[in-house]
Each structure stands twice: as C-alpha cells, then as structure tokens.
C-alpha cells in the first residue's frame, strides 16, 4: 500500500512539473509572446509597441508565470489567448474526436497484427513450428510506412481520384476510415511483430504440449497462446493508444481533423498557453488511464501465477534464425547508397525538373531538377547514422529505467503522452532551434516503449518457475539479474529496438514534414518526402524513392532482429563451492 501511494505521488509530481514547465513556456522562449499572439490574431497588423503592451496587459503577462499557475490550482483553465473562448469545452471536443479516431485506428491495428501472426498461430496450433522463424518482410514494410505519406496517398487516391471515401473534414464515422488506416497499419505491424516474437515460446510451454497431447482443438491452444503473450504487450498497446491520440498530428493536419494533437500543436505554435496546458494535461491523464487499464488487464490475464512465481518462461534458449533476407535487404540498401554517393545532390537543372526514371537519372528528378538517387544516397548518411545513434541511446536508457519500474512507470506514462512535435517545440524553447533539435525531441520519447517492454517482461520472468527454484538454491538478486533475467529479457527488447529503428527515422521525418526538422537543401529522407509530396501525382518516383529506402531499412531491421540471441548459462547458484555442489544435486534430484 505504501509503494502504491509513493507511485501515485511520483506520478502526480511528474504531471505537475510538466504543466508548470509549459506554464513557463512564454518566459523560456526567446520571442515575445505578445508578438506571437498578435501574429496569430491578425498577421497583417503592425507590431506597434503600444499594441503589444495592450496585449501583455490583456493576457496578464506582466504578472509573471505564478499568476497562471495560481489560476490552474484554483481549477480555472482560463480562456484562449487567440479566440477568447473557454478552453475546456474546446479541449474536450478535440479529445472526443481523437478518442474516436484512436478507437478505429486500434481496430485497424488489431486486424493488421492478427494477419501478421496468422501463420505462426496456424503452425503453432498444429505443432509445426520448427524453431525461430525470421520476421516477415511485409510487416517490415508496413512498420516503415510514413504515416503522413500513407495519409497523403489515401487522401489523394481513395478520397479524391476514386471518391470512395471522404478525404477532408470530420463529420461522421465515414470520415474516420482513411486516417485510421494511415495510423493503424504501421502500429499494427509493430504490435504484430512483437506478438509474433513471443508466440513460439508460448507454444513450446508444457501446458501447450499437454493440451495437444489430450487432443484439444488447435483453435483453443492458439487462443490460450495469445492470452499467454498479451500481458507482455499490453503496456506497449497502451502507449500506442496514447500515441494515436496525441501523436497523430501530421495525419490530423492532412485530413483536417480537429483532434487533440493538432489542437495542441496549433496552440504551441501560437503560444496559446491556456489551450496548450489543458491539452497536455488531458494527454497525461489519458496516458495514466491507459497505463492503469493495461496493468489491470495484465493481472487479470495472468492470474495468481504472477503472484505465486509459477509462470513458465517465454524466453528459453532458441537457435538463431538462419536466413539470407537481412543480407539481401542490407545489400540492396547499400547498393542504392553507393550509387547515389558519387552524384551531386545539390546540382540544379530546372530544364530537367520532374523527369521520370532514366539511365541518366535512375530515380528521376525532383521539382528543382535535382537527381533523386543522389539525394537519397547522401541523405542516408544523415538519416541512418542519426537514427542508429538515437536508437542505441534509447535502448540503453530504456533497459536501465525498465529495471526500475516504480521510478520509470509514471515517467513513461508522462513522456509517451507528449507528441514528438510538442517535445520539439519545448526543446526549441529551451535550447533554441538547430539541427540537433529533432534528435533531442525524438530521443526524449524513444526510450519509453523499450522501458515499458523491459518492465513487463521482467515482471513475468521474475515469476517464472526456474527463477523461484534458483532463488531457493541460494542465488542472490545480482546473480539472478545477470545470469537469468537479463539474458531472457534483453533479446526481445533488442529486437523491439531494431523494429523501432525505422520508426525513429520516421519520427525525424515527421518533424521535418511539419517544418521542425532538417532544412533545405539538406537531403535528409524526411525532408525529401516533405519536399516532393506536392508532386506525388505528377512525379510519384520522387516520393517513392525515399519511401522505398525507409521500407528497406524496416525490412532489414525486422529480418536482422530474428537472429538476436544471448547465451544462457547453466542455472547454478553462484555462491556454491565445489563441496556444496553435490549437496545441491542431491536436493534437486530429491525434488
């Protein structure tokens, strides 16, 4: 009970610190908030000193930040600095739109994950799983699809050209389908790969062998295998739910959806402090609710085995996957980069603009006549190296904080509630703009899913039977961590980090797409997508080239992740002397 109270206080303290930090935003930025508000209200009006002084007096900026914090403590969300309307009704309306979009997107993600796991479930139910299989390329491509690019293609092709579904606005359930597909397909691909990674271990457990021996239907065994694996994925599912609510900024921009992510972004850009604070607080509360529901569902699915330490291990020793797919994808990506590096990515030729692929320009040219192959090749150096560095730092941070779930749990729930765009704006306000801003913003949130995954797997592994037996033989906590827990948990978390490597690159690309990342003429892949997206109908090759490079990166990461294994040592208590070992063997044999 005391630990739960401490966790609640820690969670409340983090949320309060976040809201207070946002309350200080006008005083942290290097621009005059009154000038920003004036531009948002009337872009044509001259910034006269008297007008700016009047705006400061209206907003109470001269009273300092504690004036606004005191209003929040009294429960007054205030009025918008731009429109003058009450903040809370607008934020609740935006939250309702985002929750509806999140629900439909989660349904799309669930169907996508089920399709990805269908083959493993079919083989496992029939006892035909022969060791660890490599990840499928299809799921890698789906996971590497940029949400804003998918949204643009769906809006243009399905919504405008074919006219099957509405492509703009928010007026009913039919308007949710296209944006939900754009959000749900990549999320479902990641969740499906994580589930597919755990299913072989579930089908190899004694209960599955006994159920098959007794002749139970394969469908029942498959359902129980899914139930066995879900507790390890529920924390990340909750993170996805929050991310689909507040992180769908680019998709909401494209489809003109008045969601909470878009509302928060617009408030941050205009420094509309009351709306920004209320929107962020709503996201933090949603994240806390999602985390609580995920923890409750996990306990209900596992039952008393988690408390009694009677779970089998999902992460027994497995042979590494032997496949040529990683070499094929890696070789193809390296070939594209090698062919593009000798070319000049900045050479302009307006007479050759938007030319289709040819021998002279294998990937065609962009809107300024620049060679797309050259820009993809040179952009790989920035995109891949930065994504790799961020992913490595996120993996290390996620594992270390995942070992301390009572400390990292509330922190993860708060961090994941912040869209990377909002984090980028906060980073810009504190340290200023620059090429490092997108990396800092993405790195701030990239570790959270890995920490949640580490904590969830550790919770189950600590309740495994072999851990209980090893502890009974006298092993201390340090020995269990080094020789039992980490070798079992690190491989799936590393595979998870590899699976999210394209997602890190996509997050950087999304910030660039929204104007917060790399700036022209840098050939970063996200900037290539943003620059060429207006020409997607006339020159699709200019968009498909960087998108294909991202898909190859995703396929390489997923297929290479299948070979990640760590050796497991013999399970023997570390403090045993040679004289004690025979006695231990007698005890084990007697048991």
């Amino acid at each position: 009970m005391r630990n739960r109270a401490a966790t609640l206080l820690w969670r409340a303290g983090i949320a309060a610190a976040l809201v207070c930090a946002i309350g200080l935003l006008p005083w942290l930025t290097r621009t005059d908030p009154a000038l920003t508000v004036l531009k948002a209200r009337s872009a044509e009006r001259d910034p006269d000193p008297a007008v700016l002084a009047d705006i400061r007096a209206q907003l109470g900026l001269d009273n300092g930040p504690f004036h606004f914090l005191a209003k929040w403590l009294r429960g007054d969300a205030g009025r918008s600095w731009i429109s003058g309307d009450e903040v809370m009704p607008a934020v609740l309306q935006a939250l309702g739109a985002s929750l509806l979009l999140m629900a439909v997107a989660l349904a799309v993600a669930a169907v996508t994950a089920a399709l990805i796991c269908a083959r493993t479930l079919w083989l496992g139910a029939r006892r035909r799983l022969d060791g660890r299989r490599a990840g499928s390329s299809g799921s890698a491509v789906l996971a590497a699809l940029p949400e804003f690019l998918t949204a643009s293609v769906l809006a243009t092709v399905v919504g405008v050209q074919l006219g099957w579904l509405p492509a703009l606005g928010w007026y009913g359930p039919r308007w949710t389908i296209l944006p939900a597909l754009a959000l749900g397909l990549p999320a479902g691909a990641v969740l499906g790969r994580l589930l597919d990674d755990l299913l072989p271990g579930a089908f190899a457990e004694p209960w599955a062998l006994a159920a098959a021996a007794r002749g139970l239907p394969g469908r029942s065994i498959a359902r129980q295998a899914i139930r066995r694996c879900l507790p390890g994925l529920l924390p990340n599912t909750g993170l996805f739910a929050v991310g689909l609510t507040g992180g769908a900024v680019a998709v909401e921009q494209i489809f003109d959806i008045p969601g909470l992510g878009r509302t928060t972004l617009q408030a941050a850009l205009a420094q509309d402090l009351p709306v920004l604070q209320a929107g962020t607080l709503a996201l933090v509360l949603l994240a806390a609710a999602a985390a609580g529901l995920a923890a409750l569902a996990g306990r209900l699915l596992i039952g008393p085995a988690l408390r009694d330490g009677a779970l089998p291990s999902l992460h027994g020793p497995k042979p590494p996957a032997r496949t040529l797919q990683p070499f094929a994808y890696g070789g193809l990506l390296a070939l594209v980069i090698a062919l593009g590096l000798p070319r000049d990515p900045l050479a302009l030729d307006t007479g050759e603009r938007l030319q289709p692929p040819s021998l002279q320009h294998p990937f065609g040219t962009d809107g300024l006549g620049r060679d797309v192959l050259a820009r993809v090749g040179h952009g790989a150096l920035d995109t891949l190296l930065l994504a790799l560095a961020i992913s490595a730092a996120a993996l290390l941070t996620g594992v270390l904080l995942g070992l301390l779930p009572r400390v990292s749990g509330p922190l993860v729930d708060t961090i994941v509630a912040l869209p990377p765009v909002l984090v980028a704006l906060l980073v810009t306000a504190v340290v200023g703009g620059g090429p490092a801003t997108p990396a800092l913003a993405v790195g701030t949130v990239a570790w959270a899913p890995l920490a949640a995954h580490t904590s969830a797997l550790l919770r189950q592994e600590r309740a495994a039977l072999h851990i209980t037996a090893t502890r009974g033989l006298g092993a201390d906590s340090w020995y269990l961590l080094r020789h039992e827990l980490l070798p079992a948990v690190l491989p799936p978390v590393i595979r998870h980090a590899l699976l999210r490597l394209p997602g890190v690159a996509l997050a950087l690309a999304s910030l660039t797409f929204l104007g917060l990342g790399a700036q022209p003429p840098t050939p970063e892949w996200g900037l290539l997508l943003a620059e060429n997206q207006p020409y997607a109908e006339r020159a699709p090759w200019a968009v498909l080239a960087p998108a294909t490079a991202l898909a190859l990166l995703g396929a390489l990461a997923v297929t290479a992740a299948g070979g990640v294994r760590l050796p497991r040592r013999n399970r023997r208590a570390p403090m045993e002397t040679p004289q004690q070992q025979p006695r231990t063997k007698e005890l084990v044999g007697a048991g």
Side-chain angles (χ1 to χ4, degrees):
M1 190 68 181
R2 183 178 301 174
N3 291 332
R4 292 182 180 178
T7 302
L8 289 176
L9 288 175
W10 173 230
R11 189 186 301 274
I14 293 175
L18 177 62
V19 172
C20 291
I22 294 175
L24 294 173
L25 189 61
W27 289 267
L28 293 175
T29 56
R30 294 169 175 80
T31 58
D32 186 358
L35 180 60
T36 307
V37 173
L38 176 64
K39 290 181 178 179
R41 290 179 177 178
S42 178
E44 295 81 12
R45 193 170 181 179
D46 293 330
D48 185 80
V51 175
L52 295 179
D54 183 57
I55 292 177
R56 292 191 196 95
Q58 291 177 12
L59 302 181
L61 292 174
D62 295 332
N63 296 327
F66 296 104
H67 168 70
F68 300 100
L69 296 179
K71 291 178 63 177
W72 265 89
L73 291 176
R74 294 195 301 267
D76 182 10
R79 292 179 175 272
S80 169
W81 287 0
I82 307 302
S83 64
D85 298 332
E86 289 284 344
V87 167
M88 199 53 65
V91 170
L92 291 178
Q93 184 178 3
L95 178 62
S98 292
L99 289 177
L100 176 59
L101 178 59
M102 176 198 73
V104 182
L106 282 179
V108 173
V111 173
T112 305
L115 292 175
I116 290 173
C117 298
R119 182 169 181 267
T120 302
L121 289 171
W122 188 84
L123 293 174
R126 287 158 179 78
R127 314 305 304 168
R128 296 182 185 176
L129 278 176
D130 51 350
R132 179 62 205 158
R133 300 176 299 107
S136 66
S137 305
S139 63
V141 173
L142 284 178
L145 282 176
E147 294 173 351
F148 57 86
L149 177 61
T150 308
S152 299
V153 172
L154 290 175
T156 302
V157 177
V158 180
V160 177
Q161 294 182 352
L162 299 178
W164 292 347
L165 290 168
L168 197 65
W170 189 255
Y171 304 103
R174 293 181 67 241
W175 277 261
T176 66
I177 297 177
L178 292 183
L181 286 173
L183 291 171
L185 288 175
V190 176
L191 288 174
R193 284 300 310 138
L194 293 177
L195 179 58
D196 196 58
D197 186 55
L198 295 176
L199 282 173
F203 281 116
E205 289 181 348
W207 67 264
L209 301 175
R214 295 192 61 181
L216 290 182
R219 293 190 303 272
S220 300
I221 299 176
R223 283 197 301 268
Q224 291 302 319
I226 294 176
R227 178 175 179 175
R228 173 70 181 91
C229 298
L230 277 181
L233 299 181
L234 282 174
N236 272 283
T237 305
L239 299 186
F240 270 110
V242 179
L244 293 176
T245 305
V249 180
V251 174
E252 291 177 353
Q253 289 275 71
I254 292 171
F255 289 100
D256 194 25
I257 299 173
L260 189 58
R262 184 186 179 199
T263 300
T264 306
L265 172 63
Q266 292 175 343
L269 292 174
Q271 292 199 26
D272 193 349
L273 187 61
V275 177
L276 179 59
Q277 282 183 308
T280 304
L281 184 60
L283 289 173
V284 171
L285 293 177
L286 177 64
L293 290 175
L296 178 61
R299 291 183 178 277
L300 292 177
L301 286 172
I302 295 177
L306 182 65
R307 179 197 63 207
D308 298 338
L311 280 176
S313 176
L314 278 174
H315 311 289
K318 302 171 187 175
R322 292 181 174 87
T323 175
L324 296 177
Q325 286 182 330
F327 299 99
Y329 292 127
L332 188 57
L333 186 60
L335 177 63
V336 171
I337 297 173
L339 291 176
L341 286 178
R343 297 169 177 262
D344 187 356
L346 303 178
L348 300 178
D349 188 354
T350 54
E352 295 288 326
R353 60 189 305 269
L354 300 180
Q355 292 297 310
S358 61
L359 291 177
Q360 184 180 1
H361 303 289
F363 285 3
T365 60
D366 63 6
L368 295 177
R370 295 172 296 192
D371 187 78
V372 175
L373 175 59
R375 295 185 64 74
V376 170
H378 284 266
L381 299 178
D382 296 330
T383 304
L384 295 181
L385 292 179
L386 189 58
L388 283 171
I390 294 175
S391 298
L395 174 62
L396 179 61
T397 305
V399 170
L400 291 178
L401 290 179
L403 297 176
L404 305 170
R406 291 176 183 171
V407 175
S408 64
L411 192 59
V412 166
D413 299 339
T414 305
I415 289 294
V416 79
L418 300 178
V421 177
L422 178 57
V423 178
L425 292 172
L426 292 175
V427 171
T428 303
V430 176
V431 302
T437 299
L440 290 174
V442 175
T444 301
V445 299
W447 62 269
L450 301 176
H453 196 192
T454 302
S455 297
L457 295 180
L458 275 175
R459 189 181 306 115
Q460 292 191 68
E461 193 68 21
R462 284 194 177 103
L465 285 169
H466 71 88
I467 297 293
T468 304
T470 307
R471 186 182 292 113
L473 292 175
D476 58 12
S477 299
W478 177 242
Y479 177 86
L480 291 175
L481 180 65
R482 288 180 56 200
H483 300 285
E484 299 292 342
L485 296 177
L486 286 181
V489 170
L490 278 181
V493 175
I494 294 175
R495 293 193 290 269
H496 185 184
L498 284 173
L499 186 62
R500 284 189 174 272
L501 176 61
V504 171
L506 292 181
L508 295 170
S510 298
L511 292 179
T512 302
F513 178 79
L514 294 169
L516 299 172
Q519 300 299 318
T522 305
E524 195 267 336
W525 287 353
L527 185 59
L528 296 186
L529 289 169
E531 288 178 340
N532 297 315
Q533 195 231 351
Y535 310 110
E537 293 186 60
R538 296 171 53 195
W541 52 85
V543 176
L544 288 176
T548 303
L550 283 169
L552 283 175
L553 175 62
L556 172 62
V558 171
T559 53
V564 175
R565 297 288 179 267
L566 291 180
R568 302 284 297 274
R569 298 189 181 184
N570 292 331
R571 288 166 182 155
R572 191 184 68 188
M575 65 289 298
E576 291 178 313
T577 64
Q579 292 78 15
Q580 292 173 313
Q581 289 172 16
R583 175 58 179 163
T584 300
K585 293 178 181 178
E586 294 175 7
L587 292 174
V588 174

